[in-house]
Amino acid sequence: QAKRQGGDRIEVYRPTMRSDRGDRLMLESDLRQALERNEIKVLFQPIVRLEDRTVAGFEALLRWDHPKHGRIPPQTFIPIAEESGLIVDLGVFALERTAAELAAWQQALVVEPPLFASVNVSSRQLLRHDLLHDVKTVLARTGVAPGSLKLELTESLVMENPEYAAQMLARIAELGAGLSLDDFGTGYSALAYLQRFPFDTIKIDQSFVRQMANGRSVILRSIVRMAQELGLEIVAEGAETEADARALAEIGCDYAQGFAFGEPMSVHQARQLVGAAPAAA
Ligand code: C2E
Ligand code: MG
Ligand code: MG
Ligand code: MG
Protein backbone atom coordinates (compact mmCIF):
# COMPACT_ATOMS: atom_id res chain seq x y z
CA GLN A 1 0.00 0.00 0.00
CA ALA A 2 1.60 3.23 -1.12
CA LYS A 3 0.92 6.32 0.86
CA ARG A 4 1.57 9.99 0.33
CA GLN A 5 3.67 11.64 3.00
CA GLY A 6 4.86 15.23 3.17
CA GLY A 7 5.49 16.99 -0.17
CA ASP A 8 5.15 14.76 -3.17
CA ARG A 9 7.12 11.82 -1.91
CA ILE A 10 5.38 8.51 -2.40
CA GLU A 11 6.32 6.02 0.23
CA VAL A 12 5.98 2.29 -0.19
CA TYR A 13 4.86 -0.01 2.57
CA ARG A 14 7.00 -0.14 5.71
CA PRO A 15 6.30 -2.56 8.55
CA THR A 16 6.05 0.40 10.95
CA MET A 17 3.35 2.01 8.90
CA ARG A 18 0.02 2.63 10.51
CA SER A 19 -2.40 -0.24 10.19
CA ASP A 20 -5.61 0.02 8.18
CA ARG A 21 -7.36 0.34 11.50
CA GLY A 22 -5.16 3.33 12.34
CA ASP A 23 -5.84 4.92 8.95
CA ARG A 24 -9.51 4.46 9.56
CA LEU A 25 -9.39 6.18 12.93
CA MET A 26 -7.49 9.07 11.43
CA LEU A 27 -9.99 9.44 8.63
CA GLU A 28 -12.79 9.27 11.17
CA SER A 29 -11.44 12.21 13.12
CA ASP A 30 -10.85 14.14 9.88
CA LEU A 31 -14.37 13.35 8.75
CA ARG A 32 -15.75 14.94 11.90
CA GLN A 33 -14.34 18.27 10.73
CA ALA A 34 -14.81 17.79 7.02
CA LEU A 35 -18.35 19.09 6.89
CA GLU A 36 -17.52 22.29 8.77
CA ARG A 37 -14.50 22.82 6.55
CA ASN A 38 -16.55 22.48 3.38
CA GLU A 39 -14.57 19.48 2.19
CA ILE A 40 -17.70 17.46 1.46
CA LYS A 41 -19.46 18.18 -1.82
CA VAL A 42 -22.61 16.96 -3.44
CA LEU A 43 -22.21 16.09 -7.10
CA PHE A 44 -25.16 15.38 -9.39
CA GLN A 45 -25.27 12.74 -12.07
CA PRO A 46 -27.94 13.12 -14.76
CA ILE A 47 -30.61 10.47 -15.19
CA VAL A 48 -31.88 10.51 -18.75
CA ARG A 49 -35.26 9.51 -20.18
CA LEU A 50 -34.41 6.97 -22.86
CA GLU A 51 -37.41 7.73 -25.04
CA ASP A 52 -36.25 11.24 -25.97
CA ARG A 53 -32.85 11.52 -24.24
CA THR A 54 -33.95 14.45 -22.08
CA VAL A 55 -32.64 14.90 -18.55
CA ALA A 56 -35.34 13.62 -16.21
CA GLY A 57 -33.48 14.13 -12.95
CA PHE A 58 -30.24 13.67 -11.06
CA GLU A 59 -28.75 11.44 -8.38
CA ALA A 60 -26.85 13.21 -5.61
CA LEU A 61 -23.47 11.60 -4.90
CA LEU A 62 -21.12 12.74 -2.14
CA ARG A 63 -17.40 13.41 -2.54
CA TRP A 64 -14.82 14.24 0.10
CA ASP A 65 -11.91 16.41 -0.96
CA HIS A 66 -9.41 15.66 1.80
CA PRO A 67 -6.70 18.33 2.19
CA LYS A 68 -3.92 15.71 2.36
CA HIS A 69 -5.26 12.57 0.73
CA GLY A 70 -7.12 14.17 -2.16
CA ARG A 71 -10.53 13.02 -3.30
CA ILE A 72 -11.86 10.15 -1.19
CA PRO A 73 -14.66 8.09 -2.74
CA PRO A 74 -17.90 7.36 -0.89
CA GLN A 75 -17.07 3.63 -0.74
CA THR A 76 -14.27 4.62 1.66
CA PHE A 77 -15.89 7.27 3.83
CA ILE A 78 -19.55 6.21 3.94
CA PRO A 79 -18.76 3.00 5.91
CA ILE A 80 -16.66 5.07 8.33
CA ALA A 81 -19.47 7.57 8.62
CA GLU A 82 -21.93 4.76 9.28
CA GLU A 83 -19.87 3.17 12.01
CA SER A 84 -19.15 6.42 13.77
CA GLY A 85 -22.66 7.85 13.48
CA LEU A 86 -21.42 10.77 11.36
CA ILE A 87 -23.66 9.50 8.58
CA VAL A 88 -26.56 11.26 10.29
CA ASP A 89 -25.02 14.70 9.72
CA LEU A 90 -23.78 13.76 6.27
CA GLY A 91 -27.22 12.48 5.37
CA VAL A 92 -28.95 15.67 6.49
CA PHE A 93 -26.38 17.67 4.53
CA ALA A 94 -26.98 15.64 1.34
CA LEU A 95 -30.76 15.82 1.77
CA GLU A 96 -30.82 19.59 2.34
CA ARG A 97 -28.45 20.39 -0.50
CA THR A 98 -30.26 18.12 -2.91
CA ALA A 99 -33.71 19.49 -2.10
CA ALA A 100 -32.46 23.09 -2.40
CA GLU A 101 -30.94 22.35 -5.81
CA LEU A 102 -34.04 20.53 -6.96
CA ALA A 103 -36.15 23.56 -6.08
CA ALA A 104 -33.82 25.78 -8.17
CA TRP A 105 -34.01 23.42 -11.17
CA GLN A 106 -37.77 23.17 -10.97
CA GLN A 107 -38.06 26.95 -10.96
CA ALA A 108 -35.81 27.22 -14.00
CA LEU A 109 -37.23 24.37 -16.01
CA VAL A 110 -40.95 23.79 -15.88
CA VAL A 111 -41.60 20.39 -17.44
CA GLU A 112 -44.15 17.65 -16.95
CA PRO A 113 -43.35 15.43 -15.11
CA PRO A 114 -41.11 17.76 -13.09
CA LEU A 115 -37.37 17.12 -12.74
CA PHE A 116 -36.54 14.82 -9.86
CA ALA A 117 -33.55 14.36 -7.61
CA SER A 118 -32.64 11.31 -5.62
CA VAL A 119 -30.46 11.05 -2.57
CA ASN A 120 -28.96 7.90 -1.07
CA VAL A 121 -29.97 6.81 2.42
CA SER A 122 -27.98 4.42 4.54
CA SER A 123 -28.88 1.97 7.25
CA ARG A 124 -28.24 4.16 10.30
CA GLN A 125 -30.38 6.93 8.83
CA LEU A 126 -33.34 4.69 8.22
CA LEU A 127 -33.18 3.31 11.75
CA ARG A 128 -33.37 6.79 13.19
CA HIS A 129 -36.79 8.20 13.58
CA ASP A 130 -35.39 11.65 12.69
CA LEU A 131 -35.29 10.76 9.01
CA LEU A 132 -39.03 11.36 8.86
CA HIS A 133 -38.64 14.74 10.47
CA ASP A 134 -35.74 15.66 8.17
CA VAL A 135 -37.65 14.73 5.03
CA LYS A 136 -40.75 16.58 6.21
CA THR A 137 -38.70 19.68 6.99
CA VAL A 138 -36.91 19.88 3.63
CA LEU A 139 -40.10 19.22 1.69
CA ALA A 140 -41.90 22.01 3.56
CA ARG A 141 -38.98 24.42 3.24
CA THR A 142 -38.27 23.90 -0.45
CA GLY A 143 -41.76 23.26 -1.78
CA VAL A 144 -40.55 20.86 -4.47
CA ALA A 145 -43.14 19.01 -6.55
CA PRO A 146 -44.71 16.01 -4.77
CA GLY A 147 -42.75 12.81 -5.38
CA SER A 148 -39.87 14.61 -7.08
CA LEU A 149 -37.49 14.31 -4.15
CA LYS A 150 -36.65 10.63 -3.97
CA LEU A 151 -34.78 8.56 -1.46
CA GLU A 152 -32.65 5.66 -2.71
CA LEU A 153 -32.41 2.61 -0.50
CA THR A 154 -30.69 -0.65 -1.28
CA GLU A 155 -32.32 -4.02 -1.15
CA SER A 156 -29.95 -5.24 1.57
CA LEU A 157 -30.72 -2.20 3.73
CA VAL A 158 -34.44 -2.84 3.50
CA MET A 159 -33.97 -6.56 4.17
CA GLU A 160 -32.02 -5.91 7.40
CA ASN A 161 -35.34 -5.32 9.07
CA PRO A 162 -38.18 -5.65 6.57
CA GLU A 163 -41.06 -4.96 8.97
CA TYR A 164 -39.54 -1.82 10.37
CA ALA A 165 -38.42 -0.65 6.92
CA ALA A 166 -41.91 -1.18 5.51
CA GLN A 167 -43.42 1.02 8.24
CA MET A 168 -40.83 3.77 7.86
CA LEU A 169 -41.08 3.77 4.08
CA ALA A 170 -44.86 3.97 4.18
CA ARG A 171 -44.61 7.07 6.38
CA ILE A 172 -41.95 8.63 4.16
CA ALA A 173 -44.10 8.01 1.09
CA GLU A 174 -47.07 9.62 2.87
CA LEU A 175 -44.99 12.75 3.33
CA GLY A 176 -44.74 12.99 -0.45
CA ALA A 177 -41.23 11.73 -1.09
CA GLY A 178 -40.46 9.22 -3.84
CA LEU A 179 -38.71 5.93 -3.12
CA SER A 180 -36.19 4.16 -5.32
CA LEU A 181 -34.91 0.68 -4.78
CA ASP A 182 -31.16 0.99 -5.46
CA ASP A 183 -28.71 -1.57 -6.85
CA PHE A 184 -31.51 -4.02 -7.47
CA GLY A 185 -30.36 -7.56 -8.19
CA THR A 186 -27.26 -7.52 -5.99
CA GLY A 187 -29.07 -9.03 -2.99
CA TYR A 188 -31.19 -12.09 -2.56
CA SER A 189 -34.68 -10.71 -2.35
CA ALA A 190 -37.29 -10.96 -5.05
CA LEU A 191 -38.88 -7.96 -6.67
CA ALA A 192 -42.28 -9.52 -6.00
CA TYR A 193 -41.51 -9.48 -2.28
CA LEU A 194 -40.23 -5.93 -2.39
CA GLN A 195 -43.42 -4.80 -4.06
CA ARG A 196 -44.94 -4.81 -0.57
CA PHE A 197 -42.85 -1.70 0.05
CA PRO A 198 -43.97 1.62 -1.39
CA PHE A 199 -41.20 1.94 -3.98
CA ASP A 200 -42.11 3.79 -7.18
CA THR A 201 -38.80 3.19 -8.96
CA ILE A 202 -36.23 0.45 -9.20
CA LYS A 203 -32.63 1.06 -10.15
CA ILE A 204 -31.11 -1.97 -11.79
CA ASP A 205 -27.53 -2.56 -10.75
CA GLN A 206 -24.88 -1.87 -13.33
CA SER A 207 -23.66 -5.48 -13.23
CA PHE A 208 -26.71 -6.39 -15.36
CA VAL A 209 -25.82 -3.73 -17.90
CA ARG A 210 -22.30 -5.21 -18.11
CA GLN A 211 -23.82 -8.68 -18.61
CA MET A 212 -26.07 -7.34 -21.34
CA ALA A 213 -23.07 -5.75 -23.07
CA ASN A 214 -21.51 -9.22 -23.04
CA GLY A 215 -24.52 -10.71 -24.74
CA ARG A 216 -26.31 -12.00 -21.66
CA SER A 217 -29.51 -10.07 -21.09
CA VAL A 218 -31.91 -12.76 -19.88
CA ILE A 219 -31.95 -11.66 -16.24
CA LEU A 220 -32.12 -7.99 -17.12
CA ARG A 221 -35.09 -8.62 -19.39
CA SER A 222 -36.94 -10.57 -16.74
CA ILE A 223 -36.33 -7.91 -14.08
CA VAL A 224 -37.62 -5.24 -16.47
CA ARG A 225 -40.70 -7.26 -17.34
CA MET A 226 -41.54 -7.85 -13.69
CA ALA A 227 -40.95 -4.21 -12.77
CA GLN A 228 -43.27 -3.14 -15.58
CA GLU A 229 -45.96 -5.53 -14.40
CA LEU A 230 -45.60 -4.16 -10.88
CA GLY A 231 -45.99 -0.61 -12.18
CA LEU A 232 -42.50 0.52 -11.21
CA GLU A 233 -40.38 2.97 -13.16
CA ILE A 234 -37.05 1.54 -14.22
CA VAL A 235 -33.66 3.21 -14.11
CA ALA A 236 -30.64 1.30 -15.42
CA GLU A 237 -27.34 2.18 -13.77
CA GLY A 238 -23.99 2.20 -15.50
CA ALA A 239 -24.93 2.95 -19.12
CA GLU A 240 -21.45 3.61 -20.43
CA THR A 241 -21.88 3.55 -24.19
CA GLU A 242 -24.37 4.53 -26.86
CA ALA A 243 -24.85 0.82 -27.54
CA ASP A 244 -25.80 0.27 -23.87
CA ALA A 245 -28.29 3.14 -24.06
CA ARG A 246 -29.93 1.80 -27.20
CA ALA A 247 -30.14 -1.75 -25.89
CA LEU A 248 -31.62 -0.57 -22.58
CA ALA A 249 -34.29 1.41 -24.41
CA GLU A 250 -35.10 -1.59 -26.56
CA ILE A 251 -35.45 -3.84 -23.48
CA GLY A 252 -37.90 -1.36 -21.97
CA CYS A 253 -35.99 0.62 -19.35
CA ASP A 254 -37.50 4.06 -18.84
CA TYR A 255 -34.34 5.85 -17.73
CA ALA A 256 -30.61 5.35 -17.71
CA GLN A 257 -27.74 6.81 -15.77
CA GLY A 258 -24.10 6.44 -16.64
CA PHE A 259 -21.02 7.79 -18.30
CA ALA A 260 -22.77 7.67 -21.69
CA PHE A 261 -24.90 10.62 -20.50
CA GLY A 262 -22.67 12.32 -17.97
CA GLU A 263 -20.50 11.70 -14.95
CA PRO A 264 -21.39 13.09 -11.54
CA MET A 265 -21.01 16.87 -11.98
CA SER A 266 -20.83 20.02 -9.90
CA VAL A 267 -23.88 22.00 -8.84
CA HIS A 268 -22.82 24.62 -11.35
CA GLN A 269 -22.67 22.19 -14.26
CA ALA A 270 -25.98 20.63 -13.28
CA ARG A 271 -27.61 24.07 -13.30
CA GLN A 272 -26.16 24.77 -16.74
CA LEU A 273 -27.58 21.51 -17.99
CA VAL A 274 -31.11 22.41 -16.89
CA GLY A 275 -30.75 26.07 -17.83
CA ALA A 276 -30.90 27.42 -14.29
CA ALA A 277 -28.97 30.45 -13.03
CA PRO A 278 -25.44 29.63 -11.89
CA ALA A 279 -25.17 28.58 -8.26
CA ALA A 280 -23.98 31.28 -5.88
CA ALA A 281 -20.43 30.47 -4.83
P1 C2E B 1 -24.87 4.13 -5.99
O1 C2E B 1 -25.95 4.79 -5.23
O2 C2E B 1 -25.20 2.83 -6.66
O3 C2E B 1 -24.35 5.19 -7.05
C1 C2E B 1 -23.98 4.85 -8.36
C2 C2E B 1 -22.49 4.79 -8.50
O4 C2E B 1 -22.16 4.41 -9.83
C3 C2E B 1 -21.80 6.14 -8.30
O5 C2E B 1 -20.55 5.88 -7.68
C4 C2E B 1 -21.61 6.63 -9.73
O6 C2E B 1 -20.58 7.59 -9.85
C5 C2E B 1 -21.26 5.34 -10.41
N1 C2E B 1 -21.52 5.38 -11.83
C6 C2E B 1 -22.42 6.13 -12.49
N2 C2E B 1 -22.42 5.88 -13.80
C7 C2E B 1 -21.48 4.94 -14.01
C8 C2E B 1 -21.02 4.26 -15.20
O7 C2E B 1 -21.47 4.49 -16.31
N3 C2E B 1 -20.05 3.32 -15.01
C9 C2E B 1 -19.53 3.05 -13.80
N4 C2E B 1 -18.59 2.12 -13.72
N5 C2E B 1 -19.95 3.66 -12.65
C10 C2E B 1 -20.92 4.60 -12.77
P2 C2E B 1 -20.03 6.78 -6.51
O8 C2E B 1 -20.40 8.21 -6.77
O9 C2E B 1 -18.60 6.44 -6.29
O10 C2E B 1 -20.89 6.30 -5.28
C11 C2E B 1 -20.73 5.00 -4.80
C12 C2E B 1 -21.76 4.66 -3.75
O11 C2E B 1 -21.58 5.45 -2.57
C13 C2E B 1 -23.19 4.95 -4.21
O12 C2E B 1 -23.61 3.90 -5.02
C14 C2E B 1 -23.89 5.01 -2.87
O13 C2E B 1 -24.19 3.73 -2.41
C15 C2E B 1 -22.82 5.61 -1.96
N6 C2E B 1 -23.13 7.03 -1.75
C16 C2E B 1 -22.81 8.11 -2.51
N7 C2E B 1 -23.31 9.24 -1.99
C17 C2E B 1 -23.98 8.87 -0.86
C18 C2E B 1 -24.76 9.58 0.14
O14 C2E B 1 -25.00 10.80 0.08
N8 C2E B 1 -25.27 8.84 1.18
C19 C2E B 1 -25.10 7.49 1.25
N9 C2E B 1 -25.65 6.84 2.29
N10 C2E B 1 -24.41 6.80 0.34
C20 C2E B 1 -23.85 7.47 -0.70
MG1 MG C 1 -27.79 5.37 -5.47
MG1 MG D 1 -27.08 2.44 -7.32
MG1 MG E 1 -24.66 0.76 -7.78
Side-chain angles (χ1 to χ4, degrees), residues 59-61 118-121 151-154 180-183 203 237 257:
E59 176 175 7
L61 294 159
S118 64
V119 57
N120 294 284
V121 168
L151 303 186
E152 293 194 5
L153 301 97
T154 63
S180 296
L181 180 57
D182 202 0
D183 299 344
K203 297 189 73 173
E237 298 188 308
Q257 173 181 359

Side-chain angles (χ1 to χ4, degrees), residues 96-116:
E96 286 180 346
R97 278 298 164 84
T98 303
E101 276 309 298
L102 178 61
W105 302 332
Q106 288 181 354
Q107 271 163 27
L109 190 67
V110 180
V111 283
E112 200 51 52
L115 286 166
F116 64 81

Side-chain angles (χ1 to χ4, degrees), residues 40-208:
I40 310 275
K41 296 186 175 64
V42 187
L43 298 189
F44 293 96
Q45 185 175 35
I47 298 175
V48 168
R49 190 175 285 103
L50 284 168
E51 189 176 65
D52 56 8
R53 303 294 180 95
T54 54
V55 175
F58 293 86
E59 176 175 7
L61 294 159
L62 289 177
R63 294 292 180 268
W64 179 10
D65 287 322
H66 190 287
K68 272 212 286 270
H69 305 299
R71 183 158 278 192
I72 301 179
Q75 285 94 334
T76 304
F77 71 83
I78 296 287
I80 297 173
E82 286 232 27
E83 264 183 38
S84 58
L86 293 168
I87 192 68
V88 175
D89 287 344
L90 276 185
V92 171
F93 172 76
L95 189 65
E96 286 180 346
R97 278 298 164 84
T98 303
E101 276 309 298
L102 178 61
W105 302 332
Q106 288 181 354
Q107 271 163 27
L109 190 67
V110 180
V111 283
E112 200 51 52
L115 286 166
F116 64 81
S118 64
V119 57
N120 294 284
V121 168
S122 64
S123 169
R124 272 287 261 275
Q125 285 176 279
L126 186 67
L127 294 174
R128 280 175 52 110
H129 189 263
D130 286 7
L131 181 63
L132 279 175
H133 172 259
D134 296 340
V135 170
K136 194 174 180 175
T137 307
V138 297
L139 287 176
R141 192 189 302 152
T142 57
V144 295
S148 66
L149 180 67
K150 297 171 183 271
L151 303 186
E152 293 194 5
L153 301 97
T154 63
E155 194 183 354
S156 51
L157 190 170
V158 169
M159 294 309 292
E160 271 175 36
N161 189 341
E163 263 110 84
Y164 179 79
Q167 280 179 35
M168 276 293 279
L169 296 185
R171 296 179 65 184
I172 291 170
E174 269 170 35
L175 292 175
L179 292 169
S180 296
L181 180 57
D182 202 0
D183 299 344
F184 182 76
T186 55
Y188 295 100
S189 42
L191 196 43
Y193 178 84
L194 290 165
Q195 220 268 328
R196 296 195 214 162
F197 300 87
F199 288 106
D200 48 78
T201 304
I202 76 158
K203 297 189 73 173
I204 301 175
D205 191 68
Q206 55 172 281
S207 54
F208 296 102

